[in-house]
Amino acid sequence: MSDLFWLTDAQMARLEPFFPKSHGKPRVDDKRVLSGIIFINRNGLRWRDAPREYGPHKTLYNRWKRWSDKGIFAQMMVGLAADHGEQT
């Protein structure tokens, strides 16, 4: 599938300050997982329909659920908006 979405290294560098600290076991590749989460949400797909290039759909869902519950994605949006002078 040639139309997959992949975050760039520059985009990942801007997002990394918002990542929670890893405790114990290292996380699965953040770039692959976050790119998969964005692809799923942008295309309105079910988690199980994630292209295999992003890894197991269960991994994508678990990361999305865990980080959503902790407010990580909301913090990313607020932080990125603040970087551009926007006020919330």
Side-chain angles (χ1 to χ4, degrees):
M1 188 178 270
S2 62
D3 56 348
L4 296 179
F5 172 81
W6 295 103
L7 289 163
T8 66
D9 290 338
Q11 290 168 325
M12 284 300 294
R14 289 189 63 209
L15 294 174
E16 282 182 44
F18 303 103
F19 294 176
K21 301 282 186 251
S22 181
H23 299 289
K25 187 174 163 184
R27 283 193 303 262
V28 175
D29 180 24
D30 289 323
K31 185 175 184 176
R32 186 184 78 198
V33 172
L34 290 177
S35 295
I37 291 170
I38 292 168
F39 183 86
I40 291 294
N41 284 310
R42 187 164 73 173
N43 291 293
L45 300 175
R46 297 177 301 175
W47 294 105
R48 75 177 91 175
D49 294 331
R52 68 174 164 252
E53 290 86 349
Y54 295 124
H57 72 275
K58 190 73 168 170
T59 301
L60 300 176
Y61 172 77
N62 286 341
R63 176 82 57 91
W64 174 81
K65 178 69 172 144
R66 193 169 46 251
W67 283 20
S68 292
D69 290 347
K70 290 182 178 182
I72 303 298
F73 292 118
Q75 291 171 14
M76 284 181 186
M77 295 299 117
V78 169
L80 292 172
D83 286 348
H84 284 57
E86 296 178 21
Q87 304 272 326
T88 57

